[in-house]
Amino acid sequence: MSNHLKRLGDIFGSFVSKDFKRKRLQDESVTDGKPDEYSPVKLKEFKNKNEEIEENEFMSVDCFVKRVATFTDFCWCRDIPQLSPLEIARHGWASTRDDFMVTCDSCNQHLSLAIPDQDSGIRDSCINTAVGRLFSAHGEFCPWATTSSPAHLARIEVPDLEVVGRTAANIAQHQERLPYLKSCHVEKWQEVLKKISKDNLKDIDDERVKNSACILALCGWRPGSLEDTLTDVYAVRRIGLWNFVSIQDEDDILETQRVAEELGHSLEKDRCILPEGKEYLDPVTEHVSWHPLLQNLESGTPAQQYIIDQLCKGPSATCLIDKLGRKDSIRAIFKVRDIVEQW
Ligand SMILES: [Zn+2]
């Protein structure tokens, strides 16, 4: 156990003094408004910085998405919901792309979010400590030390079907090169598909292309910046279409099966006739494990099912989203996709 405690100390030790300072700041300055021991200059700097950030960063979906976009390393797919890149970014941190090190643009502090394995016996306590660090590891005068972006930014959003329609039209440009989606991935979206305006897709003849494009858009995919790629809304997960069985491939597979049957051969499993190196795309599980679509709601409902249920409710669902003020945030997330790509 002493080794474990030492490792814990190594991971978090350097932040103990900052913790103490922040606590003092909270106790004596921020919370009670009596920053006597701080010079007016410092206080002014703090206030200016705070107001500036409050206006621009805390509420900014653009800035949030940019921070999330730094968590490209698969090491973050470690299934610790409290320390998912979405939660970390919500507290002002961005990945340095150096293991589990994150940094804050406002105060330039660094924080290690390395967590020991389950067999260490201290994993849970380390997670709790690290969650506290999301606030406390910020610098003394950093506004992120006391505030974070709204929690709903890290949760699943019900997509706007207008935006989905436009995104689907862009995805559909790939035509039969789009992934062929198995019926199990299409059927659950059938009712939602009926609600998407096909105006943007009227030039597409193949229903499978339309459905694939719409479901991919509903599942948060959009065209990537590189040719023949798709990416999630954070530009973290990028997939090449060439890695998946396409609609064209599926036609070829069916044709092969048909000919084989005519010749009296039996092809037992489709696996043996899949194009080499390709597999069928699952539009949900292909996301990084911390993607909101792969999470469960507090009620235990899978996020995907929640979205389907909400969208199937029709206009009333849209009204609810408007009421909650969430519609704009997902719309904004889609709007910033080009900014993120250029960033
Ligand atoms: Zn900070």
Side-chain angles (χ1 to χ4, degrees), residues 252-311:
D252 294 343
I253 290 169
L254 292 176
E255 179 64 12
T256 305
Q257 282 177 329
R258 190 184 65 77
V259 172
E261 279 169 19
E262 277 184 11
L263 295 174
H265 297 293
S266 63
L267 296 170
E268 288 182 5
K269 289 188 177 178
D270 56 11
R271 174 67 60 186
C272 62
I273 51 172
L274 289 184
E276 193 176 351
K278 291 192 176 187
E279 57 187 25
Y280 287 101
L281 175 73
D282 181 331
V284 175
T285 59
E286 197 58 38
H287 280 299
V288 285
S289 66
W290 48 265
H291 191 283
L293 201 56
L294 283 165
Q295 311 308 312
N296 287 348
L297 274 60
E298 283 176 14
S299 61
T301 309
Q304 181 184 198
Q305 192 56 50
Y306 171 76
I307 285 183
I308 291 170
D309 293 345
Q310 291 297 310
L311 291 175

Side-chain angles (χ1 to χ4, degrees), residues 59-75:
M59 304 304 292
S60 167
V61 178
D62 296 27
C63 296
F64 172 74
V65 171
K66 280 184 182 176
R67 290 193 298 276
V68 176
T70 62
F71 291 84
T72 51
D73 197 305
F74 272 102
C75 73

Side-chain angles (χ1 to χ4, degrees), residues 104 106-107 138-139 142 144:
C104 170
S106 300
C107 65
H138 283 285
C142 182
W144 290 105

Side-chain angles (χ1 to χ4, degrees), residues 113-145:
L113 292 172
I115 300 293
D117 294 335
Q118 197 70 50
D119 59 11
S120 67
I122 55 169
R123 183 177 171 87
D124 291 345
S125 64
C126 285
I127 290 172
N128 288 338
T129 307
V131 168
R133 304 280 180 209
L134 294 179
F135 278 117
S136 65
H138 283 285
E140 279 181 311
F141 298 102
C142 182
W144 290 105

Side-chain angles (χ1 to χ4, degrees), residues 70-132:
T70 62
F71 291 84
T72 51
D73 197 305
F74 272 102
C75 73
W76 293 104
C77 295
R78 53 183 178 171
D79 299 325
I80 307 176
Q82 313 94 302
L83 293 177
S84 83
L86 297 167
E87 281 300 320
I88 299 167
R90 200 168 70 75
H91 288 82
W93 302 100
S95 169
T96 63
R97 297 186 167 88
D98 180 16
D99 287 336
F100 291 102
M101 192 64 74
V102 295
T103 186
C104 170
D105 255 4
S106 300
C107 65
N108 293 321
Q109 290 291 331
H110 283 67
L111 167 67
S112 171
L113 292 172
I115 300 293
D117 294 335
Q118 197 70 50
D119 59 11
S120 67
I122 55 169
R123 183 177 171 87
D124 291 345
S125 64
C126 285
I127 290 172
N128 288 338
T129 307
V131 168

